PDB file of all heavy atoms in Angstrom:
ATOM      1  N   LEU A  14      15.049  -1.288  -3.353  1.00  0.00           N
ATOM      2  CA  LEU A  14      13.887  -2.062  -3.788  1.00  0.00           C
ATOM      3  C   LEU A  14      12.637  -1.186  -3.811  1.00  0.00           C
ATOM      4  O   LEU A  14      12.342  -0.505  -2.837  1.00  0.00           O
ATOM      5  CB  LEU A  14      13.644  -3.243  -2.833  1.00  0.00           C
ATOM      6  CG  LEU A  14      14.793  -4.246  -2.686  1.00  0.00           C
ATOM      7  CD1 LEU A  14      14.414  -5.329  -1.670  1.00  0.00           C
ATOM      8  CD2 LEU A  14      15.134  -4.881  -4.029  1.00  0.00           C
ATOM      9  N   PRO A  15      11.884  -1.178  -4.915  1.00  0.00           N
ATOM     10  CA  PRO A  15      10.627  -0.427  -4.956  1.00  0.00           C
ATOM     11  C   PRO A  15       9.698  -0.910  -3.841  1.00  0.00           C
ATOM     12  O   PRO A  15       9.613  -2.112  -3.557  1.00  0.00           O
ATOM     13  CB  PRO A  15      10.046  -0.759  -6.335  1.00  0.00           C
ATOM     14  CG  PRO A  15      11.230  -1.193  -7.143  1.00  0.00           C
ATOM     15  CD  PRO A  15      12.159  -1.875  -6.188  1.00  0.00           C
ATOM     16  N   LEU A  16       8.989   0.028  -3.194  1.00  0.00           N
ATOM     17  CA  LEU A  16       8.185  -0.295  -2.017  1.00  0.00           C
ATOM     18  C   LEU A  16       6.757   0.203  -2.186  1.00  0.00           C
ATOM     19  O   LEU A  16       6.526   1.364  -2.535  1.00  0.00           O
ATOM     20  CB  LEU A  16       8.814   0.347  -0.776  1.00  0.00           C
ATOM     21  CG  LEU A  16       8.051   0.248   0.544  1.00  0.00           C
ATOM     22  CD1 LEU A  16       7.893  -1.205   0.971  1.00  0.00           C
ATOM     23  CD2 LEU A  16       8.773   1.059   1.628  1.00  0.00           C
ATOM     24  N   VAL A  17       5.799  -0.692  -1.927  1.00  0.00           N
ATOM     25  CA  VAL A  17       4.380  -0.341  -1.928  1.00  0.00           C
ATOM     26  C   VAL A  17       3.830  -0.615  -0.532  1.00  0.00           C
ATOM     27  O   VAL A  17       4.011  -1.708   0.013  1.00  0.00           O
ATOM     28  CB  VAL A  17       3.590  -1.154  -2.978  1.00  0.00           C
ATOM     29  CG1 VAL A  17       2.095  -0.803  -2.909  1.00  0.00           C
ATOM     30  CG2 VAL A  17       4.131  -0.899  -4.381  1.00  0.00           C
ATOM     31  N   LEU A  18       3.149   0.370   0.056  1.00  0.00           N
ATOM     32  CA  LEU A  18       2.532   0.244   1.370  1.00  0.00           C
ATOM     33  C   LEU A  18       1.018   0.183   1.196  1.00  0.00           C
ATOM     34  O   LEU A  18       0.448   0.941   0.415  1.00  0.00           O
ATOM     35  CB  LEU A  18       2.882   1.448   2.247  1.00  0.00           C
ATOM     36  CG  LEU A  18       4.366   1.844   2.325  1.00  0.00           C
ATOM     37  CD1 LEU A  18       4.514   3.144   3.091  1.00  0.00           C
ATOM     38  CD2 LEU A  18       5.166   0.732   2.984  1.00  0.00           C
ATOM     39  N   SER A  19       0.365  -0.713   1.933  1.00  0.00           N
ATOM     40  CA  SER A  19      -1.086  -0.818   1.795  1.00  0.00           C
ATOM     41  C   SER A  19      -1.738  -1.044   3.155  1.00  0.00           C
ATOM     42  O   SER A  19      -1.149  -1.650   4.056  1.00  0.00           O
ATOM     43  CB  SER A  19      -1.467  -1.955   0.841  1.00  0.00           C
ATOM     44  OG  SER A  19      -1.151  -3.223   1.404  1.00  0.00           O
ATOM     45  N   ASP A  20      -2.954  -0.541   3.291  1.00  0.00           N
ATOM     46  CA  ASP A  20      -3.721  -0.744   4.512  1.00  0.00           C
ATOM     47  C   ASP A  20      -5.199  -0.595   4.196  1.00  0.00           C
ATOM     48  O   ASP A  20      -5.582   0.173   3.308  1.00  0.00           O
ATOM     49  CB  ASP A  20      -3.317   0.268   5.585  1.00  0.00           C
ATOM     50  CG  ASP A  20      -3.687  -0.201   6.984  1.00  0.00           C
ATOM     51  OD1 ASP A  20      -4.879  -0.166   7.353  1.00  0.00           O
ATOM     52  OD2 ASP A  20      -2.782  -0.636   7.722  1.00  0.00           O
ATOM     53  N   ILE A  21      -6.030  -1.327   4.942  1.00  0.00           N
ATOM     54  CA  ILE A  21      -7.469  -1.262   4.721  1.00  0.00           C
ATOM     55  C   ILE A  21      -8.061   0.027   5.283  1.00  0.00           C
ATOM     56  O   ILE A  21      -9.121   0.478   4.856  1.00  0.00           O
ATOM     57  CB  ILE A  21      -8.171  -2.494   5.355  1.00  0.00           C
ATOM     58  CG1 ILE A  21      -9.601  -2.620   4.838  1.00  0.00           C
ATOM     59  CG2 ILE A  21      -8.135  -2.408   6.883  1.00  0.00           C
ATOM     60  CD1 ILE A  21     -10.291  -3.895   5.286  1.00  0.00           C
ATOM     61  N   ALA A  22      -7.371   0.631   6.272  1.00  0.00           N
ATOM     62  CA  ALA A  22      -7.843   1.858   6.917  1.00  0.00           C
ATOM     63  C   ALA A  22      -7.222   3.066   6.234  1.00  0.00           C
ATOM     64  O   ALA A  22      -6.012   3.258   6.277  1.00  0.00           O
ATOM     65  CB  ALA A  22      -7.499   1.847   8.403  1.00  0.00           C
ATOM     66  N   GLN A  23      -8.038   3.900   5.628  1.00  0.00           N
ATOM     67  CA  GLN A  23      -7.511   5.021   4.857  1.00  0.00           C
ATOM     68  C   GLN A  23      -6.729   6.001   5.726  1.00  0.00           C
ATOM     69  O   GLN A  23      -5.733   6.582   5.287  1.00  0.00           O
ATOM     70  CB  GLN A  23      -8.642   5.760   4.149  1.00  0.00           C
ATOM     71  CG  GLN A  23      -8.156   6.773   3.142  1.00  0.00           C
ATOM     72  CD  GLN A  23      -9.277   7.386   2.345  1.00  0.00           C
ATOM     73  OE1 GLN A  23     -10.043   8.193   2.868  1.00  0.00           O
ATOM     74  NE2 GLN A  23      -9.391   6.995   1.089  1.00  0.00           N
ATOM     75  N   GLY A  24      -7.145   6.175   6.981  1.00  0.00           N
ATOM     76  CA  GLY A  24      -6.401   7.052   7.872  1.00  0.00           C
ATOM     77  C   GLY A  24      -4.974   6.571   8.067  1.00  0.00           C
ATOM     78  O   GLY A  24      -4.030   7.376   8.120  1.00  0.00           O
ATOM     79  N   MET A  25      -4.802   5.258   8.166  1.00  0.00           N
ATOM     80  CA  MET A  25      -3.462   4.688   8.296  1.00  0.00           C
ATOM     81  C   MET A  25      -2.673   4.851   6.994  1.00  0.00           C
ATOM     82  O   MET A  25      -1.482   5.183   7.018  1.00  0.00           O
ATOM     83  CB  MET A  25      -3.555   3.213   8.676  1.00  0.00           C
ATOM     84  CG  MET A  25      -4.041   2.950  10.094  1.00  0.00           C
ATOM     85  SD  MET A  25      -2.821   3.506  11.323  1.00  0.00           S
ATOM     86  CE  MET A  25      -3.506   2.774  12.817  1.00  0.00           C
ATOM     87  N   THR A  26      -3.315   4.610   5.865  1.00  0.00           N
ATOM     88  CA  THR A  26      -2.635   4.734   4.580  1.00  0.00           C
ATOM     89  C   THR A  26      -2.100   6.148   4.379  1.00  0.00           C
ATOM     90  O   THR A  26      -0.962   6.351   3.940  1.00  0.00           O
ATOM     91  CB  THR A  26      -3.585   4.383   3.422  1.00  0.00           C
ATOM     92  OG1 THR A  26      -4.179   3.097   3.660  1.00  0.00           O
ATOM     93  CG2 THR A  26      -2.848   4.341   2.097  1.00  0.00           C
ATOM     94  N   ARG A  27      -2.915   7.124   4.719  1.00  0.00           N
ATOM     95  CA  ARG A  27      -2.490   8.523   4.562  1.00  0.00           C
ATOM     96  C   ARG A  27      -1.327   8.844   5.495  1.00  0.00           C
ATOM     97  O   ARG A  27      -0.388   9.551   5.114  1.00  0.00           O
ATOM     98  CB  ARG A  27      -3.671   9.445   4.850  1.00  0.00           C
ATOM     99  CG  ARG A  27      -4.755   9.422   3.783  1.00  0.00           C
ATOM    100  CD  ARG A  27      -5.916  10.313   4.161  1.00  0.00           C
ATOM    101  NE  ARG A  27      -6.917  10.393   3.102  1.00  0.00           N
ATOM    102  CZ  ARG A  27      -8.059  11.058   3.209  1.00  0.00           C
ATOM    103  NH1 ARG A  27      -8.343  11.690   4.345  1.00  0.00           N
ATOM    104  NH2 ARG A  27      -8.916  11.088   2.209  1.00  0.00           N
ATOM    105  N   HIS A  28      -1.392   8.339   6.723  1.00  0.00           N
ATOM    106  CA  HIS A  28      -0.318   8.578   7.681  1.00  0.00           C
ATOM    107  C   HIS A  28       0.980   7.945   7.180  1.00  0.00           C
ATOM    108  O   HIS A  28       2.054   8.564   7.233  1.00  0.00           O
ATOM    109  CB  HIS A  28      -0.706   8.002   9.042  1.00  0.00           C
ATOM    110  CG  HIS A  28       0.154   8.474  10.176  1.00  0.00           C
ATOM    111  ND1 HIS A  28       1.455   8.061  10.346  1.00  0.00           N
ATOM    112  CD2 HIS A  28      -0.103   9.315  11.203  1.00  0.00           C
ATOM    113  CE1 HIS A  28       1.958   8.623  11.414  1.00  0.00           C
ATOM    114  NE2 HIS A  28       1.038   9.395  11.957  1.00  0.00           N
ATOM    115  N   ALA A  29       0.894   6.715   6.696  1.00  0.00           N
ATOM    116  CA  ALA A  29       2.082   6.016   6.190  1.00  0.00           C
ATOM    117  C   ALA A  29       2.671   6.736   4.984  1.00  0.00           C
ATOM    118  O   ALA A  29       3.894   6.800   4.822  1.00  0.00           O
ATOM    119  CB  ALA A  29       1.728   4.581   5.825  1.00  0.00           C
ATOM    120  N   ALA A  30       1.822   7.294   4.133  1.00  0.00           N
ATOM    121  CA  ALA A  30       2.307   8.015   2.951  1.00  0.00           C
ATOM    122  C   ALA A  30       3.156   9.217   3.360  1.00  0.00           C
ATOM    123  O   ALA A  30       4.148   9.537   2.690  1.00  0.00           O
ATOM    124  CB  ALA A  30       1.128   8.467   2.092  1.00  0.00           C
ATOM    125  N   ARG A  31       2.767   9.871   4.449  1.00  0.00           N
ATOM    126  CA  ARG A  31       3.555  11.019   4.932  1.00  0.00           C
ATOM    127  C   ARG A  31       4.858  10.565   5.579  1.00  0.00           C
ATOM    128  O   ARG A  31       5.894  11.231   5.446  1.00  0.00           O
ATOM    129  CB  ARG A  31       2.731  11.823   5.941  1.00  0.00           C
ATOM    130  CG  ARG A  31       1.522  12.531   5.349  1.00  0.00           C
ATOM    131  CD  ARG A  31       0.937  13.525   6.326  1.00  0.00           C
ATOM    132  NE  ARG A  31       0.417  12.892   7.523  1.00  0.00           N
ATOM    133  CZ  ARG A  31      -0.827  12.450   7.670  1.00  0.00           C
ATOM    134  NH1 ARG A  31      -1.696  12.581   6.670  1.00  0.00           N
ATOM    135  NH2 ARG A  31      -1.228  11.883   8.794  1.00  0.00           N
ATOM    136  N   MET A  32       4.813   9.436   6.284  1.00  0.00           N
ATOM    137  CA  MET A  32       5.981   8.954   7.007  1.00  0.00           C
ATOM    138  C   MET A  32       7.007   8.282   6.098  1.00  0.00           C
ATOM    139  O   MET A  32       8.201   8.269   6.394  1.00  0.00           O
ATOM    140  CB  MET A  32       5.552   7.975   8.100  1.00  0.00           C
ATOM    141  CG  MET A  32       4.641   8.580   9.167  1.00  0.00           C
ATOM    142  SD  MET A  32       5.400   9.990  10.031  1.00  0.00           S
ATOM    143  CE  MET A  32       6.725   9.153  10.886  1.00  0.00           C
ATOM    144  N   VAL A  33       6.532   7.683   4.991  1.00  0.00           N
ATOM    145  CA  VAL A  33       7.426   6.946   4.086  1.00  0.00           C
ATOM    146  C   VAL A  33       7.226   7.469   2.668  1.00  0.00           C
ATOM    147  O   VAL A  33       6.626   6.803   1.815  1.00  0.00           O
ATOM    148  CB  VAL A  33       7.151   5.425   4.149  1.00  0.00           C
ATOM    149  CG1 VAL A  33       8.292   4.648   3.487  1.00  0.00           C
ATOM    150  CG2 VAL A  33       6.945   4.935   5.564  1.00  0.00           C
ATOM    151  N   PRO A  34       7.734   8.662   2.376  1.00  0.00           N
ATOM    152  CA  PRO A  34       7.533   9.241   1.043  1.00  0.00           C
ATOM    153  C   PRO A  34       8.222   8.454  -0.061  1.00  0.00           C
ATOM    154  O   PRO A  34       7.884   8.607  -1.240  1.00  0.00           O
ATOM    155  CB  PRO A  34       8.125  10.656   1.183  1.00  0.00           C
ATOM    156  CG  PRO A  34       9.106  10.546   2.318  1.00  0.00           C
ATOM    157  CD  PRO A  34       8.501   9.553   3.265  1.00  0.00           C
ATOM    158  N   GLN A  35       9.189   7.580   0.310  1.00  0.00           N
ATOM    159  CA  GLN A  35       9.881   6.779  -0.712  1.00  0.00           C
ATOM    160  C   GLN A  35       8.972   5.705  -1.308  1.00  0.00           C
ATOM    161  O   GLN A  35       9.237   5.187  -2.393  1.00  0.00           O
ATOM    162  CB  GLN A  35      11.108   6.084  -0.106  1.00  0.00           C
ATOM    163  CG  GLN A  35      12.063   7.020   0.611  1.00  0.00           C
ATOM    164  CD  GLN A  35      11.793   7.081   2.111  1.00  0.00           C
ATOM    165  OE1 GLN A  35      10.652   7.200   2.543  1.00  0.00           O
ATOM    166  NE2 GLN A  35      12.864   6.979   2.892  1.00  0.00           N
ATOM    167  N   GLY A  36       7.919   5.339  -0.569  1.00  0.00           N
ATOM    168  CA  GLY A  36       7.033   4.281  -1.034  1.00  0.00           C
ATOM    169  C   GLY A  36       5.758   4.826  -1.640  1.00  0.00           C
ATOM    170  O   GLY A  36       5.447   6.018  -1.523  1.00  0.00           O
ATOM    171  N   MET A  37       5.022   3.951  -2.301  1.00  0.00           N
ATOM    172  CA  MET A  37       3.703   4.296  -2.829  1.00  0.00           C
ATOM    173  C   MET A  37       2.659   3.691  -1.895  1.00  0.00           C
ATOM    174  O   MET A  37       2.682   2.475  -1.635  1.00  0.00           O
ATOM    175  CB  MET A  37       3.518   3.739  -4.246  1.00  0.00           C
ATOM    176  CG  MET A  37       2.155   4.083  -4.844  1.00  0.00           C
ATOM    177  SD  MET A  37       1.951   3.471  -6.535  1.00  0.00           S
ATOM    178  CE  MET A  37       1.874   1.697  -6.253  1.00  0.00           C
ATOM    179  N   ALA A  38       1.752   4.503  -1.367  1.00  0.00           N
ATOM    180  CA  ALA A  38       0.755   4.034  -0.406  1.00  0.00           C
ATOM    181  C   ALA A  38      -0.616   3.928  -1.071  1.00  0.00           C
ATOM    182  O   ALA A  38      -1.056   4.855  -1.756  1.00  0.00           O
ATOM    183  CB  ALA A  38       0.692   4.982   0.787  1.00  0.00           C
ATOM    184  N   VAL A  39      -1.289   2.782  -0.855  1.00  0.00           N
ATOM    185  CA  VAL A  39      -2.615   2.555  -1.441  1.00  0.00           C
ATOM    186  C   VAL A  39      -3.525   1.892  -0.413  1.00  0.00           C
ATOM    187  O   VAL A  39      -3.063   1.200   0.488  1.00  0.00           O
ATOM    188  CB  VAL A  39      -2.530   1.656  -2.693  1.00  0.00           C
ATOM    189  CG1 VAL A  39      -1.678   2.290  -3.766  1.00  0.00           C
ATOM    190  CG2 VAL A  39      -1.997   0.270  -2.330  1.00  0.00           C
ATOM    191  N   ASP A  40      -4.820   2.138  -0.545  1.00  0.00           N
ATOM    192  CA  ASP A  40      -5.799   1.438   0.272  1.00  0.00           C
ATOM    193  C   ASP A  40      -5.997   0.037  -0.299  1.00  0.00           C
ATOM    194  O   ASP A  40      -6.157  -0.112  -1.516  1.00  0.00           O
ATOM    195  CB  ASP A  40      -7.143   2.174   0.266  1.00  0.00           C
ATOM    196  CG  ASP A  40      -7.061   3.554   0.905  1.00  0.00           C
ATOM    197  OD1 ASP A  40      -6.160   3.769   1.735  1.00  0.00           O
ATOM    198  OD2 ASP A  40      -7.899   4.411   0.579  1.00  0.00           O
ATOM    199  N   ALA A  41      -5.980  -0.980   0.561  1.00  0.00           N
ATOM    200  CA  ALA A  41      -6.129  -2.352   0.062  1.00  0.00           C
ATOM    201  C   ALA A  41      -6.595  -3.287   1.162  1.00  0.00           C
ATOM    202  O   ALA A  41      -6.202  -3.147   2.326  1.00  0.00           O
ATOM    203  CB  ALA A  41      -4.812  -2.854  -0.513  1.00  0.00           C
ATOM    204  N   ASP A  42      -7.438  -4.238   0.796  1.00  0.00           N
ATOM    205  CA  ASP A  42      -7.915  -5.292   1.683  1.00  0.00           C
ATOM    206  C   ASP A  42      -7.035  -6.526   1.462  1.00  0.00           C
ATOM    207  O   ASP A  42      -6.866  -6.976   0.325  1.00  0.00           O
ATOM    208  CB  ASP A  42      -9.374  -5.607   1.349  1.00  0.00           C
ATOM    209  CG  ASP A  42      -9.989  -6.647   2.276  1.00  0.00           C
ATOM    210  OD1 ASP A  42      -9.247  -7.363   2.977  1.00  0.00           O
ATOM    211  OD2 ASP A  42     -11.233  -6.751   2.292  1.00  0.00           O
ATOM    212  N   ALA A  43      -6.491  -7.081   2.534  1.00  0.00           N
ATOM    213  CA  ALA A  43      -5.601  -8.239   2.422  1.00  0.00           C
ATOM    214  C   ALA A  43      -6.278  -9.433   1.773  1.00  0.00           C
ATOM    215  O   ALA A  43      -5.614 -10.295   1.193  1.00  0.00           O
ATOM    216  CB  ALA A  43      -5.085  -8.634   3.807  1.00  0.00           C
ATOM    217  N   GLN A  44      -7.602  -9.510   1.859  1.00  0.00           N
ATOM    218  CA  GLN A  44      -8.334 -10.636   1.281  1.00  0.00           C
ATOM    219  C   GLN A  44      -8.699 -10.410  -0.186  1.00  0.00           C
ATOM    220  O   GLN A  44      -9.257 -11.303  -0.830  1.00  0.00           O
ATOM    221  CB  GLN A  44      -9.611 -10.888   2.101  1.00  0.00           C
ATOM    222  CG  GLN A  44      -9.324 -11.259   3.540  1.00  0.00           C
ATOM    223  CD  GLN A  44     -10.575 -11.283   4.394  1.00  0.00           C
ATOM    224  OE1 GLN A  44     -11.031 -12.348   4.824  1.00  0.00           O
ATOM    225  NE2 GLN A  44     -11.148 -10.115   4.653  1.00  0.00           N
ATOM    226  N   ASN A  45      -8.384  -9.219  -0.703  1.00  0.00           N
ATOM    227  CA  ASN A  45      -8.693  -8.907  -2.103  1.00  0.00           C
ATOM    228  C   ASN A  45      -7.724  -7.830  -2.587  1.00  0.00           C
ATOM    229  O   ASN A  45      -8.108  -6.687  -2.831  1.00  0.00           O
ATOM    230  CB  ASN A  45     -10.139  -8.431  -2.227  1.00  0.00           C
ATOM    231  CG  ASN A  45     -10.585  -8.287  -3.671  1.00  0.00           C
ATOM    232  OD1 ASN A  45     -10.038  -8.932  -4.567  1.00  0.00           O
ATOM    233  ND2 ASN A  45     -11.563  -7.443  -3.906  1.00  0.00           N
ATOM    234  N   LEU A  46      -6.464  -8.193  -2.739  1.00  0.00           N
ATOM    235  CA  LEU A  46      -5.420  -7.226  -3.066  1.00  0.00           C
ATOM    236  C   LEU A  46      -5.588  -6.687  -4.493  1.00  0.00           C
ATOM    237  O   LEU A  46      -5.779  -7.467  -5.431  1.00  0.00           O
ATOM    238  CB  LEU A  46      -4.043  -7.873  -2.920  1.00  0.00           C
ATOM    239  CG  LEU A  46      -3.647  -8.271  -1.495  1.00  0.00           C
ATOM    240  CD1 LEU A  46      -2.348  -9.067  -1.507  1.00  0.00           C
ATOM    241  CD2 LEU A  46      -3.514  -7.042  -0.591  1.00  0.00           C
ATOM    242  N   PRO A  47      -5.489  -5.369  -4.676  1.00  0.00           N
ATOM    243  CA  PRO A  47      -5.714  -4.757  -6.002  1.00  0.00           C
ATOM    244  C   PRO A  47      -4.450  -4.698  -6.853  1.00  0.00           C
ATOM    245  O   PRO A  47      -4.099  -3.650  -7.419  1.00  0.00           O
ATOM    246  CB  PRO A  47      -6.183  -3.343  -5.618  1.00  0.00           C
ATOM    247  CG  PRO A  47      -5.403  -3.034  -4.379  1.00  0.00           C
ATOM    248  CD  PRO A  47      -5.307  -4.354  -3.623  1.00  0.00           C
ATOM    249  N   PHE A  48      -3.757  -5.832  -6.959  1.00  0.00           N
ATOM    250  CA  PHE A  48      -2.504  -5.876  -7.715  1.00  0.00           C
ATOM    251  C   PHE A  48      -2.532  -7.052  -8.682  1.00  0.00           C
ATOM    252  O   PHE A  48      -3.193  -8.068  -8.436  1.00  0.00           O
ATOM    253  CB  PHE A  48      -1.300  -6.010  -6.777  1.00  0.00           C
ATOM    254  CG  PHE A  48      -1.239  -4.965  -5.704  1.00  0.00           C
ATOM    255  CD1 PHE A  48      -1.507  -5.290  -4.378  1.00  0.00           C
ATOM    256  CD2 PHE A  48      -0.934  -3.648  -6.021  1.00  0.00           C
ATOM    257  CE1 PHE A  48      -1.458  -4.327  -3.384  1.00  0.00           C
ATOM    258  CE2 PHE A  48      -0.884  -2.673  -5.030  1.00  0.00           C
ATOM    259  CZ  PHE A  48      -1.155  -3.013  -3.705  1.00  0.00           C
ATOM    260  N   ARG A  49      -1.775  -6.919  -9.760  1.00  0.00           N
ATOM    261  CA  ARG A  49      -1.699  -7.991 -10.749  1.00  0.00           C
ATOM    262  C   ARG A  49      -0.924  -9.179 -10.180  1.00  0.00           C
ATOM    263  O   ARG A  49      -0.104  -9.046  -9.279  1.00  0.00           O
ATOM    264  CB  ARG A  49      -1.008  -7.493 -12.018  1.00  0.00           C
ATOM    265  CG  ARG A  49      -1.803  -6.459 -12.793  1.00  0.00           C
ATOM    266  CD  ARG A  49      -1.056  -6.029 -14.042  1.00  0.00           C
ATOM    267  NE  ARG A  49      -1.813  -5.066 -14.833  1.00  0.00           N
ATOM    268  CZ  ARG A  49      -1.371  -4.496 -15.939  1.00  0.00           C
ATOM    269  NH1 ARG A  49      -0.152  -4.795 -16.388  1.00  0.00           N
ATOM    270  NH2 ARG A  49      -2.124  -3.632 -16.600  1.00  0.00           N
ATOM    271  N   ALA A  50      -1.169 -10.338 -10.753  1.00  0.00           N
ATOM    272  CA  ALA A  50      -0.483 -11.559 -10.330  1.00  0.00           C
ATOM    273  C   ALA A  50       1.022 -11.450 -10.588  1.00  0.00           C
ATOM    274  O   ALA A  50       1.464 -10.816 -11.558  1.00  0.00           O
ATOM    275  CB  ALA A  50      -1.050 -12.767 -11.069  1.00  0.00           C
ATOM    276  N   GLN A  51       1.787 -12.046  -9.695  1.00  0.00           N
ATOM    277  CA  GLN A  51       3.246 -12.156  -9.814  1.00  0.00           C
ATOM    278  C   GLN A  51       3.922 -10.787  -9.953  1.00  0.00           C
ATOM    279  O   GLN A  51       4.853 -10.611 -10.732  1.00  0.00           O
ATOM    280  CB  GLN A  51       3.613 -13.061 -10.996  1.00  0.00           C
ATOM    281  CG  GLN A  51       3.062 -14.466 -10.848  1.00  0.00           C
ATOM    282  CD  GLN A  51       3.527 -15.406 -11.950  1.00  0.00           C
ATOM    283  OE1 GLN A  51       4.349 -15.057 -12.785  1.00  0.00           O
ATOM    284  NE2 GLN A  51       3.007 -16.632 -11.933  1.00  0.00           N
ATOM    285  N   THR A  52       3.478  -9.839  -9.157  1.00  0.00           N
ATOM    286  CA  THR A  52       4.033  -8.483  -9.210  1.00  0.00           C
ATOM    287  C   THR A  52       5.209  -8.289  -8.269  1.00  0.00           C
ATOM    288  O   THR A  52       6.163  -7.576  -8.604  1.00  0.00           O
ATOM    289  CB  THR A  52       2.943  -7.447  -8.859  1.00  0.00           C
ATOM    290  OG1 THR A  52       1.897  -7.520  -9.823  1.00  0.00           O
ATOM    291  CG2 THR A  52       3.509  -6.031  -8.827  1.00  0.00           C
ATOM    292  N   PHE A  53       5.193  -8.944  -7.092  1.00  0.00           N
ATOM    293  CA  PHE A  53       6.148  -8.622  -6.036  1.00  0.00           C
ATOM    294  C   PHE A  53       7.110  -9.776  -5.749  1.00  0.00           C
ATOM    295  O   PHE A  53       6.756 -10.945  -5.872  1.00  0.00           O
ATOM    296  CB  PHE A  53       5.411  -8.254  -4.748  1.00  0.00           C
ATOM    297  CG  PHE A  53       4.492  -7.068  -4.907  1.00  0.00           C
ATOM    298  CD1 PHE A  53       3.137  -7.248  -5.152  1.00  0.00           C
ATOM    299  CD2 PHE A  53       4.994  -5.782  -4.833  1.00  0.00           C
ATOM    300  CE1 PHE A  53       2.292  -6.162  -5.322  1.00  0.00           C
ATOM    301  CE2 PHE A  53       4.155  -4.683  -4.999  1.00  0.00           C
ATOM    302  CZ  PHE A  53       2.801  -4.872  -5.249  1.00  0.00           C
ATOM    303  N   GLY A  54       8.316  -9.407  -5.346  1.00  0.00           N
ATOM    304  CA  GLY A  54       9.304 -10.411  -4.957  1.00  0.00           C
ATOM    305  C   GLY A  54       9.279 -10.697  -3.467  1.00  0.00           C
ATOM    306  O   GLY A  54       9.738 -11.750  -3.018  1.00  0.00           O
TER     307      GLY A  54
END
């Protein structure tokens, strides 16, 4: 399954990107997610 990782703290996002290279890591606020509607299962 394609995997996207997100976190509001950029330091965490960068750390996760190194730990989980299979996923795509982005900075994101849970109250305002930067993704299109109906994207994820």
Side-chain angles (χ1 to χ4, degrees):
L14 301 178
L16 174 63
V17 178
L18 311 173
S19 68
D20 201 285
I21 194 173
Q23 190 174 72
M25 290 292 191
T26 307
R27 289 178 175 177
H28 194 288
R31 293 192 296 270
M32 298 301 293
V33 194
Q35 307 95 314
M37 180 178 69
V39 299
D40 296 336
D42 183 343
Q44 298 171 110
N45 188 25
L46 294 172
F48 306 108
R49 292 181 178 177
Q51 300 185 6
T52 298
F53 301 96

